[in-house]
Amino acid sequence: MMITVYFTLKDLDNLESGITVPGLPLLYRGRILGLIKRALEAGSEEYKRELYTGHVPKHFSFSVYPMGGHTTEKVKVRIKPVLEVETYAIKSKTGVYRLMISTADPFFAVILESGLINMKRHKTVFPFSVDNYMTVDGVKLGIEIDKITMTERKEIGEHVRFKTLSPLFLNDKNRQPVLYSDTRFEEVLNEVSQYKMERFFNRKLLKPLQIEQLTMKQKAVQIVEVKESKPVLKLLCSDGFITLKGHKDDLNLLYRMGLGMKTGYGFGMVEVA
């Protein structure tokens, strides 16, 4: 299933003013995940609590795109009371952003959609900025939901070319990045996919994944980890096109929940190219 959320950014201190606000900072992943968690909670507190008990992979992925083109601007984001970092923000030319959430679990999709509809009905503005955390150029940003749709993702066969909508992240057992140029890329992708199948569907891959073609580039993605000694981490990822061969049931599930690791944190979402 695919849930698409169209949203705009607001100044939390001036919700009715209509003043221009900064764009969405590239450090957005943690706060977009916060929006998803809030919506799940609005749909079912019990389900959200069960889903986020323990450190386990998630069966969904997401990506965010500005609608109607965008500009890029330098901004300062406050990630701790006494720490600001300089990064970039994407500013939609229409003021509208599109959040796409793909999942292999229809129940998750129903709960999430219900919560999002509830937030929209009550005109809930989700705080991207909380107190002085994640303010952008001193502005406290909020996310206002404009429109929500839910559609089924199309079925695919045993051979597919994917385009990444959010970069694909893989680590080895020593927590070292495994990029598309690494000879272990196929092996590690299979290991991670196998673990997901066992964790969510109580079975192994029906066929090993075979990579037939890679047209990718390295991409560094910044994320905020305030509990780490370095609060802004840079993850090395692979971004572009990947052609896979495997069992169609495996590929359809991976297509829906995302490829690789940290899919529930906005990595590994793919579309059929």
PDB file of all heavy atoms in Angstrom, residues 146-161:
ATOM      1  N   ASP A 146      -2.702  18.774   4.127  1.00  0.00           N
ATOM      2  CA  ASP A 146      -3.696  19.298   3.184  1.00  0.00           C
ATOM      3  C   ASP A 146      -4.547  18.203   2.553  1.00  0.00           C
ATOM      4  O   ASP A 146      -5.745  18.379   2.340  1.00  0.00           O
ATOM      5  CB  ASP A 146      -2.994  20.078   2.059  1.00  0.00           C
ATOM      6  CG  ASP A 146      -2.253  21.296   2.580  1.00  0.00           C
ATOM      7  OD1 ASP A 146      -2.718  21.890   3.563  1.00  0.00           O
ATOM      8  OD2 ASP A 146      -1.207  21.652   2.011  1.00  0.00           O
ATOM      9  N   LYS A 147      -3.917  17.063   2.221  1.00  0.00           N
ATOM     10  CA  LYS A 147      -4.636  16.018   1.481  1.00  0.00           C
ATOM     11  C   LYS A 147      -3.979  14.667   1.763  1.00  0.00           C
ATOM     12  O   LYS A 147      -2.761  14.585   1.927  1.00  0.00           O
ATOM     13  CB  LYS A 147      -4.607  16.321  -0.025  1.00  0.00           C
ATOM     14  CG  LYS A 147      -5.327  15.328  -0.905  1.00  0.00           C
ATOM     15  CD  LYS A 147      -5.194  15.730  -2.380  1.00  0.00           C
ATOM     16  CE  LYS A 147      -5.842  14.691  -3.296  1.00  0.00           C
ATOM     17  NZ  LYS A 147      -5.666  15.061  -4.736  1.00  0.00           N
ATOM     18  N   ILE A 148      -4.791  13.609   1.789  1.00  0.00           N
ATOM     19  CA  ILE A 148      -4.304  12.245   2.042  1.00  0.00           C
ATOM     20  C   ILE A 148      -4.933  11.305   1.016  1.00  0.00           C
ATOM     21  O   ILE A 148      -6.146  11.353   0.786  1.00  0.00           O
ATOM     22  CB  ILE A 148      -4.696  11.764   3.456  1.00  0.00           C
ATOM     23  CG1 ILE A 148      -4.211  12.739   4.526  1.00  0.00           C
ATOM     24  CG2 ILE A 148      -4.144  10.361   3.722  1.00  0.00           C
ATOM     25  CD1 ILE A 148      -5.071  12.745   5.761  1.00  0.00           C
ATOM     26  N   THR A 149      -4.107  10.461   0.391  1.00  0.00           N
ATOM     27  CA  THR A 149      -4.635   9.431  -0.505  1.00  0.00           C
ATOM     28  C   THR A 149      -3.992   8.100  -0.152  1.00  0.00           C
ATOM     29  O   THR A 149      -2.873   8.055   0.375  1.00  0.00           O
ATOM     30  CB  THR A 149      -4.357   9.742  -1.989  1.00  0.00           C
ATOM     31  OG1 THR A 149      -2.932   9.732  -2.224  1.00  0.00           O
ATOM     32  CG2 THR A 149      -4.932  11.095  -2.390  1.00  0.00           C
ATOM     33  N   MET A 150      -4.695   6.995  -0.453  1.00  0.00           N
ATOM     34  CA  MET A 150      -4.124   5.666  -0.271  1.00  0.00           C
ATOM     35  C   MET A 150      -4.388   4.840  -1.513  1.00  0.00           C
ATOM     36  O   MET A 150      -5.532   4.756  -1.975  1.00  0.00           O
ATOM     37  CB  MET A 150      -4.682   4.963   0.963  1.00  0.00           C
ATOM     38  CG  MET A 150      -4.023   3.609   1.223  1.00  0.00           C
ATOM     39  SD  MET A 150      -4.267   2.938   2.900  1.00  0.00           S
ATOM     40  CE  MET A 150      -6.015   2.535   2.859  1.00  0.00           C
ATOM     41  N   THR A 151      -3.347   4.252  -2.073  1.00  0.00           N
ATOM     42  CA  THR A 151      -3.458   3.452  -3.282  1.00  0.00           C
ATOM     43  C   THR A 151      -2.666   2.160  -3.109  1.00  0.00           C
ATOM     44  O   THR A 151      -1.775   2.075  -2.260  1.00  0.00           O
ATOM     45  CB  THR A 151      -2.919   4.208  -4.511  1.00  0.00           C
ATOM     46  OG1 THR A 151      -1.564   4.611  -4.253  1.00  0.00           O
ATOM     47  CG2 THR A 151      -3.762   5.446  -4.820  1.00  0.00           C
ATOM     48  N   GLU A 152      -2.964   1.175  -3.933  1.00  0.00           N
ATOM     49  CA  GLU A 152      -2.215  -0.071  -3.939  1.00  0.00           C
ATOM     50  C   GLU A 152      -1.059   0.055  -4.928  1.00  0.00           C
ATOM     51  O   GLU A 152      -1.218   0.630  -6.013  1.00  0.00           O
ATOM     52  CB  GLU A 152      -3.121  -1.234  -4.341  1.00  0.00           C
ATOM     53  CG  GLU A 152      -2.431  -2.594  -4.407  1.00  0.00           C
ATOM     54  CD  GLU A 152      -1.768  -3.008  -3.110  1.00  0.00           C
ATOM     55  OE1 GLU A 152      -2.447  -3.591  -2.268  1.00  0.00           O
ATOM     56  OE2 GLU A 152      -0.559  -2.725  -2.961  1.00  0.00           O
ATOM     57  N   ARG A 153       0.098  -0.439  -4.558  1.00  0.00           N
ATOM     58  CA  ARG A 153       1.239  -0.447  -5.478  1.00  0.00           C
ATOM     59  C   ARG A 153       1.076  -1.619  -6.442  1.00  0.00           C
ATOM     60  O   ARG A 153       0.600  -2.688  -6.072  1.00  0.00           O
ATOM     61  CB  ARG A 153       2.558  -0.540  -4.716  1.00  0.00           C
ATOM     62  CG  ARG A 153       2.713   0.556  -3.676  1.00  0.00           C
ATOM     63  CD  ARG A 153       4.137   0.757  -3.243  1.00  0.00           C
ATOM     64  NE  ARG A 153       4.859   1.615  -4.181  1.00  0.00           N
ATOM     65  CZ  ARG A 153       6.109   2.023  -4.011  1.00  0.00           C
ATOM     66  NH1 ARG A 153       6.791   1.621  -2.961  1.00  0.00           N
ATOM     67  NH2 ARG A 153       6.697   2.799  -4.883  1.00  0.00           N
ATOM     68  N   LYS A 154       1.475  -1.427  -7.692  1.00  0.00           N
ATOM     69  CA  LYS A 154       1.230  -2.444  -8.712  1.00  0.00           C
ATOM     70  C   LYS A 154       2.097  -3.680  -8.487  1.00  0.00           C
ATOM     71  O   LYS A 154       3.178  -3.617  -7.892  1.00  0.00           O
ATOM     72  CB  LYS A 154       1.495  -1.861 -10.098  1.00  0.00           C
ATOM     73  CG  LYS A 154       2.936  -1.468 -10.372  1.00  0.00           C
ATOM     74  CD  LYS A 154       3.059  -0.881 -11.765  1.00  0.00           C
ATOM     75  CE  LYS A 154       4.495  -0.484 -12.081  1.00  0.00           C
ATOM     76  NZ  LYS A 154       4.610   0.110 -13.433  1.00  0.00           N
ATOM     77  N   GLU A 155       1.595  -4.811  -8.958  1.00  0.00           N
ATOM     78  CA  GLU A 155       2.324  -6.066  -8.855  1.00  0.00           C
ATOM     79  C   GLU A 155       3.482  -6.078  -9.846  1.00  0.00           C
ATOM     80  O   GLU A 155       3.378  -5.554 -10.951  1.00  0.00           O
ATOM     81  CB  GLU A 155       1.390  -7.244  -9.131  1.00  0.00           C
ATOM     82  CG  GLU A 155       0.326  -7.463  -8.071  1.00  0.00           C
ATOM     83  CD  GLU A 155       0.918  -7.941  -6.753  1.00  0.00           C
ATOM     84  OE1 GLU A 155       1.706  -8.909  -6.776  1.00  0.00           O
ATOM     85  OE2 GLU A 155       0.586  -7.348  -5.712  1.00  0.00           O
ATOM     86  N   ILE A 156       4.585  -6.697  -9.442  1.00  0.00           N
ATOM     87  CA  ILE A 156       5.746  -6.814 -10.314  1.00  0.00           C
ATOM     88  C   ILE A 156       6.111  -8.283 -10.465  1.00  0.00           C
ATOM     89  O   ILE A 156       5.670  -9.138  -9.695  1.00  0.00           O
ATOM     90  CB  ILE A 156       6.951  -6.011  -9.769  1.00  0.00           C
ATOM     91  CG1 ILE A 156       7.293  -6.461  -8.338  1.00  0.00           C
ATOM     92  CG2 ILE A 156       6.669  -4.514  -9.810  1.00  0.00           C
ATOM     93  CD1 ILE A 156       8.507  -5.765  -7.761  1.00  0.00           C
ATOM     94  N   GLY A 157       6.931  -8.578 -11.482  1.00  0.00           N
ATOM     95  CA  GLY A 157       7.321  -9.952 -11.766  1.00  0.00           C
ATOM     96  C   GLY A 157       8.664 -10.311 -11.156  1.00  0.00           C
ATOM     97  O   GLY A 157       9.095  -9.726 -10.158  1.00  0.00           O
ATOM     98  N   GLU A 158       9.350 -11.269 -11.777  1.00  0.00           N
ATOM     99  CA  GLU A 158      10.605 -11.782 -11.229  1.00  0.00           C
ATOM    100  C   GLU A 158      11.824 -11.002 -11.715  1.00  0.00           C
ATOM    101  O   GLU A 158      12.954 -11.362 -11.392  1.00  0.00           O
ATOM    102  CB  GLU A 158      10.753 -13.265 -11.587  1.00  0.00           C
ATOM    103  CG  GLU A 158       9.685 -14.130 -10.925  1.00  0.00           C
ATOM    104  CD  GLU A 158       9.978 -15.607 -11.046  1.00  0.00           C
ATOM    105  OE1 GLU A 158      10.835 -15.978 -11.886  1.00  0.00           O
ATOM    106  OE2 GLU A 158       9.368 -16.398 -10.297  1.00  0.00           O
ATOM    107  N   HIS A 159      11.587  -9.971 -12.487  1.00  0.00           N
ATOM    108  CA  HIS A 159      12.682  -9.149 -13.016  1.00  0.00           C
ATOM    109  C   HIS A 159      12.203  -7.705 -12.997  1.00  0.00           C
ATOM    110  O   HIS A 159      11.181  -7.374 -13.597  1.00  0.00           O
ATOM    111  CB  HIS A 159      13.016  -9.599 -14.449  1.00  0.00           C
ATOM    112  CG  HIS A 159      14.195  -8.897 -15.036  1.00  0.00           C
ATOM    113  ND1 HIS A 159      14.089  -7.687 -15.674  1.00  0.00           N
ATOM    114  CD2 HIS A 159      15.512  -9.247 -15.083  1.00  0.00           C
ATOM    115  CE1 HIS A 159      15.300  -7.316 -16.103  1.00  0.00           C
ATOM    116  NE2 HIS A 159      16.162  -8.245 -15.756  1.00  0.00           N
ATOM    117  N   VAL A 160      12.916  -6.826 -12.297  1.00  0.00           N
ATOM    118  CA  VAL A 160      12.423  -5.458 -12.146  1.00  0.00           C
ATOM    119  C   VAL A 160      13.591  -4.479 -12.032  1.00  0.00           C
ATOM    120  O   VAL A 160      14.639  -4.795 -11.468  1.00  0.00           O
ATOM    121  CB  VAL A 160      11.507  -5.343 -10.900  1.00  0.00           C
ATOM    122  CG1 VAL A 160      12.272  -5.678  -9.621  1.00  0.00           C
ATOM    123  CG2 VAL A 160      10.875  -3.970 -10.793  1.00  0.00           C
ATOM    124  N   ARG A 161      13.377  -3.311 -12.594  1.00  0.00           N
ATOM    125  CA  ARG A 161      14.342  -2.207 -12.455  1.00  0.00           C
ATOM    126  C   ARG A 161      13.724  -1.175 -11.529  1.00  0.00           C
ATOM    127  O   ARG A 161      12.661  -0.614 -11.813  1.00  0.00           O
ATOM    128  CB  ARG A 161      14.668  -1.592 -13.811  1.00  0.00           C
ATOM    129  CG  ARG A 161      15.774  -0.520 -13.759  1.00  0.00           C
ATOM    130  CD  ARG A 161      16.145  -0.084 -15.166  1.00  0.00           C
ATOM    131  NE  ARG A 161      17.325   0.772 -15.187  1.00  0.00           N
ATOM    132  CZ  ARG A 161      17.319   2.067 -15.540  1.00  0.00           C
ATOM    133  NH1 ARG A 161      16.188   2.652 -15.909  1.00  0.00           N
ATOM    134  NH2 ARG A 161      18.435   2.764 -15.534  1.00  0.00           N
TER     135      ARG A 161
END
